[in-house]
Amino acid sequence: MAVSHLRARLLCGAAALASVLAAGAANAQQAAPPAAADDTVEAVVVTGFRNSLAQALNVKRSSAAAVDAIYAEDMAKFPDLNLSESIQRIPGVAIARDAGEGRQISVRGLGAQFTRVRINGMEALTTSGGTDASGGTNRSRSFDFNVFASDLFNRITVQKTASAETEEGSLGATVDLNTAHPFDKRGFNFAVSGKMGYNDQAKKASPRVAALISNTWRDDTIGALFSVAYSQRDLLDEGTSTVRWQTGTATAPGFRSVKGATCATNAAACAEANGAVHPRIPRFDWYRNKQDRLGMTGSLQWAPDDKTTVSFDVLYADFKGERSEDFLETFTPQTAGACTATSPASCGINQVDVVDYTVTNPRSGFPVMTKGVWNNVDLKTEQRYDKLETEFRQFTLAGEHQFTDKLKAKGVIGFSKSTFSNPVQNTVQWDQYNVQGYSFDYSGGDTYPVIKYGTGDTVNADAWTLAEIRMVQGYVDNSYKTAQFDLQYDWSDAFKLKGGLAYKAYNTDSTAFARSNGTTANINPISSADLRNVPRSSYAQTIDFSSLNIPAGNVTSWITPDLQKAIAALHMDDVNYGKTVTTTPGAVWTSPFGNSCFTSGCGIYNLGREPSLGSNYTIDEWDTTGYVQGDFNFDVGGVPVRGDIGARYVQTRQKALGYGVVPSTVNGVNYQTISATTATRSYNDFLPALNVVVEPTESLLLRFGAAKVMSRPNLGSLTPGVNIGTGSTKSVTSGNPFLDPYRAKTADAAVEWYFQPGALLSFAYFYKDISTFVQSYTSALSTFDKNPFGLPDSAAVAACGTTPGCAPNLPVWQFSTSVNTPGGPLKGFEINYQQPFTFLPAPFDKFGVLANYTRVTSNVTYLSSTGAVAAVGPLTNLSKNSYNATLYYETKKISTRVSAAYRSKYLTQIPGRNGSDVEGTKATLNFDASLTYTWNKHLAFTLEAVNLSNEKQNQYYDSSQLVSFYHETGREFFAGFRYTF
């Protein structure tokens, strides 16, 4: 209710502000005197792509730190449709995509969790929900850029070297996002744009609109601005996945027979097949995404005199989505356990008779079953439906005052909050048992396989049996309260002394619910005869998979549950359906969450926190900092030298609350107590920093930077609770609230040659010695009693419930926790080239190019749970090579460009899971293009194309690069207009 009221107030206030601005337009134009020249302010709002590049280059050149910038081409007109798509044009920046658009960034090989993002000078964090393959719900410090429309911002800067006055928390970079202000371009201004997009895979249209209005009054001493952006997106995300690979031995006891030989009595005949990895969950995937993105900014500025400026900024964003995920698959290859006469129909791999197979060895000692024909396979078809929403709001009050010619002060206070909600995540699964002649063929490499379903019926809904219903909810709130005060004293023309204090209170609150009977048991499998007897045809639909170019022999459509119909057919909206009192013979459960399952009873669709304890936590963090910095600018032997030197002192205090099950026995009674655990700690950091710029000539700059930096651990790593997961992966996960932060010493050197106006050729070298690292360790598969947390087998029994293939004595368990490790070095270089071709004869003088290349390497030590060296390799999410290139052509009438962005493969898990050495994501090369035709000084028409090569999202298992996730989203085309006044 509070959110609805806030949105209503924002909309009403926006309408009122827009009315006031419009009403004052005529007076502003006729009565206001011309604005005083202000080169710095005018640099923020520019017209034309070429000019935006030149202004960004000026910022880079004048900064003491290593900085790159991107400027809006005009009011509410950013160069790309997505913020992260624009940022990736900066040297050293690479992006990770979700649903075909950029979601997070890495800088100089360091992942999203190492990059701090500030909005209008204040740190902020936005989180959203993605597919499981792209990280799912963001419960980390990584900033999700897809929450915001790019039209809301007019400047982005990326600072790659530290300075004492820049807030701590980044190993990679500090990214500043800046919204527009009325003093940026004084007088009355109005801009509106509209676009219609089309995706060639989804065959759907998507609208985008944006508008900005601003005005200044009283000799430009008071100003107001309002902007709004709205877009819709309808996307089809299709492909295949395996959810990794694993051996038959890992799903003990393995196959029942191989080519007629019974494995229980002739293990040698089955050894090759059981010892080779096979796909865990071979399947085809069909995702439908619908998104609505709304953003609004408001700004008030007041300059009572030429020495004082006060700004109040409001930013609001609402990013909504609906996503359906449909799969045709089998869980049999990853389900362990011995099959007996009393086993359920979905027993697992021990019921499988391998009729034929092919094994290859892509690397020594790593056999792979690329082809197989199996009998007694259980098929599965499922639909998952999510509703997602991220709301972000930020309020910032900033002021600056010049006390004397030498002394000035500035300050910022603000509040931001990001609220992510996933109130609906429902899944219905159907099974079809003991299919004969099931086959798979992955010999084609990491593209689409050929999967045939033998005697299985993929068309008739009533040939299937209701097997499982999952209902999940998830919520993540992040908030910042910030206060900062800075003083600057201009000692002389050659030296300025700066100092400041800052305080930041951060809170994250994560809540998750799942179907619950008051215990941690997985109750998703359905045994109710009433529900299983409901005709599947009454809540079925057919998925059309024919839009993909997949190999012959695959099905191009299949039957799947329809969740919208299933809600009524299966009574999923009745929380009291099947209400019973939970009984747990031999155990007494107690919970702090106040459920009624053990007293008055609860329905089978009751939702509780108990099955998802690891995703329920609260973390509070208080950061107190102070700094002193000296800025210098003098000549040495006639050579200008400038820069800054200083130090920052940081105190971090943390309080983490999480949940876990504490088993105990009192007087022979087994108690399973869900209890909260709270951990507190603090640590201090002293962070010196130095930046030096030497200018041997007017066009040549030499840079050097050195600093100590720190980055706080990811949020999920700090939770003190233990969570037992019994889904397709049986896992036990624990956080570590006593982790030290990432710490590193950095050194940077660069040569920059500004050989003509608007042109640059530069080389930068960077080195980071990461002395303290945080590693998320995941063990090899083993039995539950090998867990490092001291949990008894009874905890696994309770969590497994009736889940097939889930028991403490099966070697199917993975244990994960976070530990501090020594880290290692990271080094690399950037080459950057930018030039307008004004030296060429017409019409070639209207062309220009910008291009950059980055090379990064690292060598980090990864430890096992015993402290032994498990692997030595690169940082996860680090691409060794990346480049960006844009060729543009611009006249007064026409502005066009084509861009390419390349990111080489990178690892996501070291060591890999399920027996692999690594897991990773393959290289991507994306092409985009745009064309703008300016009709007159007010009206322009635009054409844009995104992902012209229909680049795939390609994740792999093991260094032999077996397919894990292979999806495509299609090309997007936009046609629109833009009107300014």
Side-chain angles (χ1 to χ4, degrees), residues 317-339:
D318 186 14
F319 181 38
K320 293 180 179 178
E322 293 183 47
R323 184 177 63 245
S324 327
E325 300 181 17
D326 293 88
F327 304 95
L328 180 61
E329 60 199 347
T330 175
F331 276 23
T332 298
Q334 61 98 40
T335 304
C339 295

Side-chain angles (χ1 to χ4, degrees), residues 88 147 262 314 326 381 396 436 580 675 681 812 815 866 979:
Q88 74 170 337
V147 171
T262 302
V314 178
D326 293 88
T381 181
T396 309
Q436 308 301 301
T580 58
S675 62
R681 72 159 307 187
V812 296
F815 310 110
T866 63
Y979 180 82

Side-chain angles (χ1 to χ4, degrees), residues 88-89 93-95 97 852-854 879-885 899-905 922-927 951:
Q88 74 170 337
R89 312 295 179 202
V93 176
I95 68 173
R97 289 179 170 83
N852 59 74
Y853 169 76
T854 304
S879 293
K880 283 188 177 181
N881 301 286
S882 62
Y883 64 78
N884 296 280
S899 300
Y902 172 80
R903 179 181 187 179
S904 66
K905 67 179 182 180
K922 279 206 160 184
T924 57
L925 177 58
N926 290 77
F927 291 94
E951 189 68 10

Side-chain angles (χ1 to χ4, degrees), residues 299-618:
S299 179
L300 298 173
Q301 286 189 296
W302 177 44
D305 53 52
D306 59 0
K307 297 181 179 181
T308 307
T309 303
V310 179
S311 301
F312 177 68
D313 295 297
V314 178
L315 172 62
Y316 175 81
D318 186 14
F319 181 38
K320 293 180 179 178
E322 293 183 47
R323 184 177 63 245
S324 327
E325 300 181 17
D326 293 88
F327 304 95
L328 180 61
E329 60 199 347
T330 175
F331 276 23
T332 298
Q334 61 98 40
T335 304
C339 295
T340 66
T342 59
S343 296
S346 56
C347 174
I349 200 169
N350 192 229
Q351 73 185 12
V352 171
D353 298 318
V354 179
V355 177
D356 196 10
Y357 68 93
T358 300
V359 168
T360 62
N361 288 274
R363 65 179 177 90
S364 178
F366 193 74
V368 177
M369 186 183 293
T370 56
K371 296 181 181 180
V373 180
W374 297 0
N375 286 339
N376 300 323
V377 171
D378 303 327
L379 303 184
K380 189 181 293 289
T381 181
E382 67 171 292
Q383 183 179 85
R384 167 177 156 178
Y385 174 76
D386 285 79
K387 280 189 175 181
L388 312 117
E389 181 175 12
T390 297
E391 271 200 303
F392 178 85
R393 43 204 171 278
Q394 176 176 294
F395 306 89
T396 309
L397 179 64
E400 185 174 323
H401 180 69
Q402 184 90 34
F403 290 100
T404 69
D405 290 343
K406 293 182 175 293
L407 181 64
K408 68 177 180 180
K410 62 180 180 178
V412 176
I413 58 173
F415 170 80
S416 71
K417 185 169 186 178
S418 171
T419 302
F420 168 75
S421 59
N422 187 185
V424 177
Q425 187 190 111
N426 296 338
T427 303
V428 173
Q429 293 181 345
W430 295 342
D431 281 359
Q432 193 173 144
Y433 304 119
N434 298 321
V435 167
Q436 308 301 301
Y438 173 89
S439 67
F440 61 84
D441 181 355
Y442 284 86
S443 60
D446 63 345
T447 58
Y448 293 110
V450 176
I451 302 176
K452 298 181 181 181
Y453 301 96
T455 61
D457 187 343
T458 60
V459 177
N460 178 18
D462 290 323
W464 299 79
T465 299
L466 175 64
E468 188 168 310
I469 297 175
R470 295 198 298 262
M471 300 177 71
V472 175
Q473 294 179 346
Y475 305 89
V476 181
D477 291 348
N478 293 281
S479 66
Y480 281 94
K481 296 177 182 177
T482 299
Q484 183 170 329
F485 180 74
D486 301 271
L487 281 173
Q488 175 179 314
Y489 184 75
D490 296 349
W491 199 277
S492 66
D493 291 341
F495 186 75
K496 299 175 182 178
L497 183 64
K498 297 177 178 179
L501 298 171
Y503 174 79
K504 181 171 57 187
Y506 169 67
N507 169 266
T508 183
D509 189 9
S510 173
T511 309
F513 300 86
R515 286 184 56 207
S516 172
N517 63 2
T519 75
T520 58
N522 179 353
I523 64 169
N524 293 326
I526 297 299
S527 58
S528 166
D530 289 341
L531 293 179
R532 291 167 74 97
N533 288 334
V534 174
R536 270 67 67 206
S537 54
S538 67
Y539 59 101
Q541 65 175 341
T542 298
I543 295 299
D544 182 1
F545 208 60
S546 60
S547 61
L548 288 184
N549 184 23
I550 58 178
N554 284 300
V555 299
T556 56
S557 65
W558 71 83
I559 201 75
T560 189
D562 185 331
L563 265 164
Q564 303 308 313
K565 297 176 182 177
I567 290 174
L570 302 178
H571 311 283
M572 294 172 64
D573 54 353
D574 182 0
V575 70
N576 292 313
Y577 181 80
K579 185 175 182 179
T580 58
V581 174
T582 300
T583 58
T584 53
V588 176
W589 281 82
T590 59
S591 169
F593 303 127
N595 69 73
S596 61
C597 296
F598 298 103
T599 54
S600 59
C602 54
I604 67 169
Y605 299 125
N606 172 67
L607 297 182
R609 300 190 190 193
E610 295 85 4
S612 306
L613 294 179
S615 296
N616 287 272
Y617 58 82
T618 299

